[in-house]
Amino acid sequence: MVAGCVTGKPFSLLSPKKHRARPERQVAGSTNRWRLPSEPFSRDLLALSQMCKAMCLDVDDTLQAPDRGAAGAAQGQVWHPANAWAFVCFPSRLYTPKIQTKCHGTLKKAVPSGDGVVTLECLGFQWELHLPQLFQSETLCCRLGLSGTLQAAGARDQQFCLCRCVAIMVQGLSPSNVANFYQAGCKYKEEPLSASCEQWMEINLVPEVGRQIHLQKIPKELLFKVLRSPRLFVFSEFHLLKTLLLWVYLQVNPQLLVLPTHEDMMTFFSSFPKKTCFLDQDMEHGFTELFRCLRLHGIIRGRDLDVLRHLNFFPESWLIRVTANHYHAMECGGDMAFAKDLTHQAVRFGLLFYKEYTTYSEMIAIYGFYFSMKGIRNSSTSYSFYMQRIRPADVGFPSEVCEHGLVSLQPQRLVRYEIRAHAWVDGQWQDFRTKPVMQKFQFVRPTCKSQVLQIQTVGSPIYVSFSFIFPAS
């Protein structure tokens, strides 16, 4: 290549034509965003902010002079129009050199928009402002009269977060956290949380919490509410008694880290002096009011009554009353003169029905009358529950149910009963029940079968409770 120099400027013989100069571009920020200097000011606030940051310019001054501000500021000249208004509502990710901004002039137009919350006309452009950008500027909120609204979009967010936290806690209730969640609900006066903990405990006290060391953490006031609830699920009244005895044992021995055996617990309560039972000696903890909520008259099996007598836990007057009630009921053909209120005095039995079951049944015996509690899965979400009177001589009847051979010869038995079912679905309890029913049970169909409780649910397991009393015939 031959090169020469004319008037002190280099030239090339191979480049006879003069190329047209390309438009110069400027780098706008560290992300290599480009814009032409002659291009009218755009709405690219991110590029503008990055450019001002790279050139150590003020964003407000640049916005006041969109076409001349950058060049003028680079030369140390700032242009301030008389009635220009500095736009002060920026997303939080933008770089803003000034902590506080000032308003100059007046707001031209602020009207509702279809896409944004407000359309703002400023500096010859229309800006669509959404909630995050609108409420980040105290000046703009003041101009639009939204100061009270800003404090109310904050209160609403706080309430939303609180409701969301409560929903998550309710969804995740378990034996390990129900005590802590209940105490938190009471402390911060969150009634939905504490009420949900009570409902969860009403169903899971005996089948879940009563089998784990976490029973030790359950506060007495929560236990008292649960024991008095008509929704309380129990396998039998004796199962509930054992759960409450275990809770007392854990309160008296708080150093335990694992559940004691049933034998160790029985030995502990039987070791107190025979002259004074455990409840009579309990002046410090106040356990007596809890055990008054139990339905000791519902403990019917001879083996379980023997445990009550040898436990040395209850006052003798309590045991005499229970024995007298059973004696008079058997003398009167099963009539329970001591039980008139189905809600608070009925004898309760329960069963767990899992979705894997096709059919499931359990036998119960009371004063020489025998019943079978049955559950049937009709489809993937349809179930039926009922109880049926059976003969002791029927095939498959377990011998331990009629261990003393007590059999009533009455061909019919008047029964007042109610059937309930509960299922946990999406953080809420589904409750199903029959109305209280008065019915005479015989040995032949259809009089041997109770009213059927049919339910639809996807929950599993289903907690089914049978409550009944034998009124005077």
Side-chain angles (χ1 to χ4, degrees):
M1 179 180 66
V2 180
C5 181
V6 179
T7 65
K9 295 183 179 180
F11 66 93
S12 171
L13 295 178
L14 298 180
S15 303
K17 296 183 179 180
K18 185 177 181 181
H19 291 280
R20 185 176 181 181
R22 296 182 179 180
E24 182 183 359
R25 297 189 297 177
Q26 296 178 350
V27 178
S30 59
T31 57
N32 201 26
R33 298 168 67 94
W34 293 84
R35 65 187 296 266
L36 299 178
S38 59
E39 179 184 359
F41 176 68
S42 66
R43 301 186 189 182
D44 193 351
L45 289 178
L46 178 59
L48 178 63
S49 176
Q50 291 177 342
M51 181 193 71
C52 293
K53 183 178 180 180
M55 301 177 64
C56 298
L57 301 177
D58 187 75
V59 178
D60 294 347
D61 297 335
T62 304
L63 282 172
Q64 292 176 15
D67 296 328
R68 299 166 48 193
Q75 299 175 3
Q77 300 174 357
V78 181
W79 178 63
H80 295 280
N83 295 321
W85 185 75
F87 183 70
V88 293
C89 185
F90 298 104
S92 59
R93 67 174 183 268
L94 296 184
Y95 172 76
T96 308
K98 292 185 178 180
I99 302 299
Q100 296 180 347
T101 56
K102 298 182 179 179
C103 290
H104 301 278
T106 58
L107 183 65
K108 286 189 176 181
K109 184 185 295 185
V111 296
S113 171
D115 297 329
V117 177
V118 173
T119 299
L120 175 68
E121 183 178 334
C122 181
L123 298 176
F125 297 95
Q126 289 186 347
W127 309 80
E128 289 189 349
L129 308 181
H130 298 263
L131 281 177
Q133 291 78 28
L134 180 63
F135 290 146
Q136 281 181 6
S137 171
E138 296 182 4
T139 304
L140 185 57
C141 289
C142 180
R143 285 275 181 157
L144 297 179
L146 299 177
S147 299
T149 306
L150 178 61
Q151 183 177 3
R156 184 170 60 249
D157 290 345
Q158 183 180 6
Q159 184 64 27
F160 173 79
C161 293
L162 185 60
C163 293
R164 180 58 179 164
C165 289
V166 170
I168 294 175
M169 296 168 76
V170 171
Q171 183 69 31
L173 282 173
S174 68
S176 62
N177 60 32
V178 64
N180 294 333
F181 287 177
Y182 172 78
Q183 292 172 342
C186 295
K187 179 179 179 180
Y188 297 102
K189 298 181 180 180
E190 282 299 320
E191 181 63 25
L193 179 58
S194 56
S196 297
C197 293
E198 292 179 24
Q199 294 176 1
W200 190 90
M201 279 289 296
E202 290 167 355
I203 307 300
N204 291 281
L205 172 62
V206 174
E208 291 291 336
V209 184
R211 299 179 178 181
Q212 302 187 30
I213 192 63
H214 304 295
L215 178 65
Q216 187 180 47
K217 302 178 182 178
I218 303 301
K220 190 178 81 169
E221 59 271 16
L222 173 58
L223 198 59
F224 185 70
K225 293 179 181 179
V226 170
L227 291 176
R228 299 185 63 184
S229 172
R231 297 176 70 253
L232 176 62
F233 174 84
V234 300
F235 294 113
S236 68
E237 301 298 339
F238 188 69
H239 276 88
L240 179 59
L241 171 62
K242 291 195 298 183
T243 300
L244 195 54
L245 288 174
L246 177 58
W247 180 84
V248 172
Y249 184 85
L250 294 175
Q251 302 305 306
V252 178
N253 301 277
Q255 73 281 0
L256 292 179
L257 300 178
V258 294
L259 283 181
T261 63
H262 180 70
E263 291 74 17
D264 292 340
M265 187 174 63
M266 294 296 104
T267 302
F268 171 79
F269 290 120
S270 301
S271 63
F272 288 89
K274 299 299 181 182
K275 295 182 179 180
T276 307
C277 68
F278 179 85
L279 286 184
D280 285 341
Q281 301 179 29
D282 173 41
M283 300 298 180
E284 177 182 356
H285 298 89
F287 295 138
T288 303
E289 60 178 347
L290 294 176
F291 285 88
R292 291 189 185 277
C293 300
L294 297 182
R295 306 177 187 182
L296 296 180
H297 60 268
I299 301 177
I300 302 171
R301 293 179 57 183
R303 185 188 310 171
D304 300 338
L305 291 174
D306 290 340
V307 172
L308 284 183
R309 284 192 294 268
H310 295 93
L311 192 58
N312 195 28
F313 187 88
F314 296 98
E316 186 177 1
S317 59
W318 292 29
L319 301 179
I320 292 176
R321 184 169 63 250
V322 171
T323 304
N325 288 336
H326 290 331
Y327 176 80
H328 290 300
M330 289 186 292
E331 285 289 321
C332 299
D335 295 350
M336 299 179 182
F338 52 86
K340 301 183 182 298
D341 186 356
L342 183 65
T343 302
H344 299 97
Q345 294 179 309
V347 181
R348 298 169 293 187
F349 294 92
L351 58 87
L352 294 182
F353 195 94
Y354 293 86
K355 61 181 179 181
E356 295 82 8
Y357 295 165
T358 302
T359 59
Y360 185 80
S361 64
E362 287 192 7
M363 311 295 179
I364 56 176
I366 177 170
Y367 301 138
F369 298 92
Y370 301 89
F371 296 87
S372 173
M373 304 180 297
K374 292 189 175 183
I376 300 175
R377 178 166 62 88
N378 305 315
S379 65
S380 59
T381 59
S382 177
Y383 303 87
S384 299
F385 301 99
Y386 62 94
M387 66 179 186
Q388 179 178 343
R389 187 180 179 187
I390 57 178
R391 302 177 187 271
D394 289 349
V395 178
F397 196 89
S399 58
E400 62 269 13
V401 175
C402 52
E403 53 184 344
H404 296 292
L406 182 63
V407 178
S408 176
L409 300 179
Q410 292 187 12
Q412 62 185 18
R413 173 68 256 176
L414 185 64
V415 182
R416 190 172 182 220
Y417 65 90
E418 183 182 42
I419 305 175
R420 292 173 175 259
H422 310 278
W424 180 258
V425 179
D426 295 334
Q428 294 183 345
W429 285 105
Q430 292 181 335
D431 296 335
F432 311 91
R433 57 182 295 186
T434 64
K435 295 181 179 179
V437 182
M438 185 79 78
Q439 177 182 338
K440 287 185 178 180
F441 282 83
Q442 299 179 350
F443 290 113
V444 295
R445 291 180 179 272
T447 57
C448 67
K449 187 176 179 181
S450 73
Q451 199 174 87
V452 180
L453 175 63
Q454 295 184 340
I455 68 173
Q456 295 280 342
T457 183
V458 296
S460 179
I462 303 173
Y463 301 79
V464 189
S465 298
F466 297 83
S467 304
F468 57 87
I469 58 177
F470 290 170
S473 300

